[in-house]
Amino acid sequence: MDQVALESNAVFLGIEYLAVFICGLSGGLAAIHKKYDLFSILVIAWVTALGGGITRDVLLGALPPVGITDRGFVLTALASGFIVAIVHPEIEHLKWSMIVTDALALGLFAVNGTAKALAYHSSGMTAAFLGMFTALAGGTIRDVLLNEVPSILRDKHLYAVPSFIGCLLTVFAARATDHWRLGLDGEMILDVCIVIIVFVLRMLSVAFNITFPGALKRHRSHLP
Amino acid sequence: MDQVALESNAVFLGIEYLAVFICGLSGGLAAIHKKYDLFSILVIAWVTALGGGITRDVLLGALPPVGITDRGFVLTALASGFIVAIVHPEIEHLKWSMIVTDALALGLFAVNGTAKALAYHSSGMTAAFLGMFTALAGGTIRDVLLNEVPSILRDKHLYAVPSFIGCLLTVFAARATDHWRLGLDGEMILDVCIVIIVFVLRMLSVAFNITFPGALKRHRSHLP
Amino acid sequence: MDQVALESNAVFLGIEYLAVFICGLSGGLAAIHKKYDLFSILVIAWVTALGGGITRDVLLGALPPVGITDRGFVLTALASGFIVAIVHPEIEHLKWSMIVTDALALGLFAVNGTAKALAYHSSGMTAAFLGMFTALAGGTIRDVLLNEVPSILRDKHLYAVPSFIGCLLTVFAARATDHWRLGLDGEMILDVCIVIIVFVLRMLSVAFNITFPGALKRHRSHLP
């Protein structure tokens, strides 16, 4: 199973904790900017880090969701909230490192979410949806709670698009693994490549200000 | 089963695809007004069209929900997003047609959602709730994501009330079908009538500016 | 089972209906302040009163949730909406009584939500999360729908913290009951004590303006 491929590897598990931690930091920082109290900082850090996985598990029927049952992830998310409440000036300073690690988290959550859905025998389309929820829902819930338009809708840089490509590729990788009997190692190499592809696409978009087009610009209707 | 009654009929299935399509158009249009990029337009179109059914399925435990598993509905919703990104000036022009089709979609989603819940052996009250979620949750999620007060709360015209009446009538129709052994045809005729009733109530409310009363207007408390 | 301890007692069940009713009143009042129509008042009253339990049941997989299946709770919530639409000037007048009863509801929902999760064989951590959702999610959904930042994030007074302490204590009480075989009576006495502790903490916080600290106030980064 694909999920096993990712989670059987200590390096990957380490990166996943790092991804949760980084998402928690960025969530906590948003709460600090609004001058909320420590409890709210922890809530927002937790929901940003684990809200995506919770959404995936609710839609998948894998209940109760990992975001309230897995001690390691919950403690990591809460720890990120505590830490950012103390070292927030330094975190602000490290803005560029945050963007880099967040891009890594984006790829990882997309691959992991898709893989988990496939392990639950979802179709490819459903798995791609669930991978995107894993990657994008946490930040969306954070923005809804902070009463802002979600940044994935607002931000002109590519954010959702790389995660979508990552989800699609993960589905193909799982199909290829089944078809050519690549085994656990082969699958993991494919998964690592996909995380890197998502990461590179995201970083290129930020670095070179690449954006996605909007609706066709037309101001007159061709109807009578 | 009631749901079978509706879905066994090609005409009805066609209308349901039309309803999804129209809801997607109206959702995409809202995203275009906010000048979002194509990806956001697709997301908002999809959530407006299928978010109601997703909410129903999550609450019903029918997971993963139809909104991420049914290829036909997903492609219809995404197609509506693509199309409105191109022909939005024409859609704006057709405002009155949109209100008419949206009213049709309202009735259809209410009847269909209630029927699906009854097919899952929900009680009448639960089925009526789930029918209303099907009809109303998509637009509500769209408005929450766009950071606006949901239009079903804000809009003074009757919107939720016709859908509520439709859900109640669907429960009664299912009971009547069981009781008098009306068969599939009888049930479908009843369902069609209910869709028409919801449609007419909604259109009358818009055409004649009929609104629902608010809280009793009193400014002094009778307490000491 | 813990939940049975609470619900087997008529007094407790009565208090729970009162808690639902009070939450409904406060929700309905918020909708009246925004000058919404009667339907919206009912929706907001219902979601404030039962949204917490619905969130708990969705995450727990206890579907369909009590908030759309339990006739008694649904009617109580809707009744509170109808009543506040008539007697809202009096309710405004009784502000202090509302704060008192709301604090009671906070404790009761926390204990009850945690106990229900434990009865579904959740771990202690998961049960504490679900208890907090039960106590806090209703008001949060209300504020999201009314397009405001949720009051649990905004309000500086202790609100979430007492409910968190209540959830933790409920987990310990259940463990103690198992360990020392305290029986139904012993467990209920513990539960009552916890509700009172949450209540007192909340009231002290409001009465003496006790607040929770925010992020550490530092304006300079120690990084080079």
Side-chain angles (χ1 to χ4, degrees), chain C residues 16-17 35 94-95 102 104-105 116 131 134 174 177:
Chain C
E16 203 170 344
Y17 277 105
K35 305 203 182 310
L94 294 169
K95 207 180 168 185
D102 185 73
L104 201 63
K116 178 165 183 184
T134 313
T177 308

Side-chain angles (χ1 to χ4, degrees), chain A residues 58-59 61 125-126 129-130 132-133 140 144 147 149-150 152-153 156 160 212-216 218 221-224, chain B residues 32 35-41 46 58 63-65 68-69 71 74 85-90 93-94 144-145 147:
Chain A
V58 164
L59 293 176
M125 186 183 76
T126 306
F129 265 112
L130 291 171
M132 295 194 66
F133 283 124
T140 303
V144 166
N147 204 17
V149 173
I152 58 152
L153 296 180
K156 293 288 179 196
F212 209 56
L216 216 63
R218 296 170 49 204
S221 161
H222 284 293
L223 289 176
Chain B
I32 291 171
K35 305 203 183 308
Y36 293 151
D37 66 11
L38 182 59
F39 180 83
S40 304
I41 295 169
W46 168 78
V58 165
L63 300 171
I68 63 171
T69 55
R71 211 165 291 254
V74 169
I86 298 168
V87 301
H88 52 98
E90 281 77 15
H93 205 87
L94 294 169
V144 166
L145 289 180
N147 204 16

